[in-house]
Amino acid sequence: MMGLVCLIAFCSLTARAAEPVLVTEADSEMSLGLHLEYLEDKEGTLTLEDVLKPEVAARFVKSQVETPNFGLGLSSAYWFSFELRNPGSESIERLLEIGYPLLDDIHYHRISETGERAHLHLGDKLVFSERPIDHRNFVIPMKLAAGEGVRVFIRVQTSSSFRVPLTMWEPSAFLEADLSKTLIYGLYFGILAVMALYNLFVFLSIRARSYLYYVVFVA
């Protein structure tokens, strides 16, 4: 019965939603910002069952930007929705990256055309080791069977800056891009560490407090 309800909801949402994102082998990186629809939940009380209702689903708004950004210090939760489809004859594996690590509470829901559901609870206040992939950002592995279509709902609530950059990656492309970023971060923090140590040695030598303040600032 639940599967039938999900299937009806999926068909209803698909009928009114934006065109599905076609995921092919040729796409190694794809920003999803302009493929999103979003809904503000001012009370933060809506559940997945609520947003599946036609009268609530009709309130979703098409995103006009690559990275949704709603400011700072919001009490509202936001629901994001998009549809993915694999038009090919073979299954495809992808990584969905939510590229902002300061989001407090994230609920990822996936609903297939047959009504099957998957759910993940993520966020920077949860245990890091429980993430599906150990990474500073939130990375979710996805597999689309040949010809399969799925609808994804992501609920986000946070006290930090409300930015939700969503990118779909081919796994090897993600690792390559992440390696480059890691090298840059390593260089940046390495320079900071050298500056802090150098000024600490200067402070120990001449005991000028300004150097100690600088060390504390850099640290």
Side-chain angles (χ1 to χ4, degrees), residues 176-196:
E176 183 177 343
D178 191 59
L179 177 60
S180 299
K181 292 178 183 178
T182 302
L183 290 173
I184 293 172
Y185 290 149
L187 179 62
Y188 174 73
F189 287 109
I191 291 172
L192 287 180
V194 169
M195 291 171 63

Side-chain angles (χ1 to χ4, degrees), residues 2-219:
M2 181 60 72
L4 179 59
V5 171
C6 291
L7 178 57
I8 294 173
F10 183 99
C11 293
S12 175
L13 286 164
T14 301
R16 60 155 295 277
E19 288 294 316
V21 180
L22 299 182
V23 183
T24 68
E25 288 290 352
D27 299 315
S28 60
E29 176 187 359
M30 182 186 302
S31 174
L32 298 177
L34 296 176
H35 300 281
L36 297 175
E37 294 183 321
Y38 65 88
L39 169 68
E40 182 181 7
D41 176 11
K42 293 184 178 180
E43 289 76 31
T45 58
L46 293 178
T47 65
L48 178 63
E49 304 304 328
D50 293 327
V51 300
L52 288 174
K53 295 176 182 177
E55 63 271 21
V56 179
R59 291 160 43 195
F60 274 79
V61 177
K62 183 80 166 60
S63 172
Q64 302 297 322
V65 294
E66 288 281 356
T67 300
N69 189 334
F70 302 105
L72 182 66
L74 297 181
S75 59
S76 300
Y78 276 83
W79 286 85
F80 301 90
S81 174
F82 57 94
E83 184 183 351
L84 301 175
R85 182 168 296 278
N86 174 10
S89 58
E90 297 183 1
S91 64
I92 291 179
E93 293 186 0
R94 288 293 183 267
L95 297 174
L96 175 62
E97 179 189 21
I98 305 174
Y100 188 61
L102 302 182
L103 298 173
D104 295 342
D105 190 71
I106 302 169
H107 285 272
Y108 162 88
H109 300 274
R110 166 178 166 155
I111 304 177
S112 71
E113 292 173 311
T114 59
E116 295 181 16
R117 295 189 182 190
H119 171 252
L120 283 174
H121 188 194
L122 304 166
D124 69 355
K125 294 186 177 180
L126 302 181
V127 179
F128 185 88
S129 61
E130 294 182 356
R131 297 185 183 189
I133 294 179
D134 292 343
H135 193 270
R136 62 186 176 275
N137 292 331
F138 307 104
V139 183
I140 301 167
M142 301 185 69
K143 185 173 183 179
L144 294 172
E148 182 182 18
V150 300
R151 178 151 287 279
V152 174
F153 290 91
I154 299 176
R155 180 190 184 275
V156 180
Q157 192 166 22
T158 189
S159 58
S160 66
S161 177
F162 211 124
R163 297 178 62 250
V164 188
L166 285 166
T167 308
M168 184 74 66
W169 291 91
E170 191 277 325
S172 61
F174 174 79
L175 292 175
E176 183 177 343
D178 191 59
L179 177 60
S180 299
K181 292 178 183 178
T182 302
L183 290 173
I184 293 172
Y185 290 149
L187 179 62
Y188 174 73
F189 287 109
I191 291 172
L192 287 180
V194 169
M195 291 171 63
L197 288 173
Y198 172 78
N199 284 276
L200 178 61
F201 289 138
V202 173
F203 166 73
L204 293 175
S205 299
I206 65 176
R207 298 293 177 176
R209 281 196 171 186
S210 59
Y211 288 96
L212 179 60
Y213 295 151
Y214 185 76
V215 170
V216 173
F217 170 75
V218 172

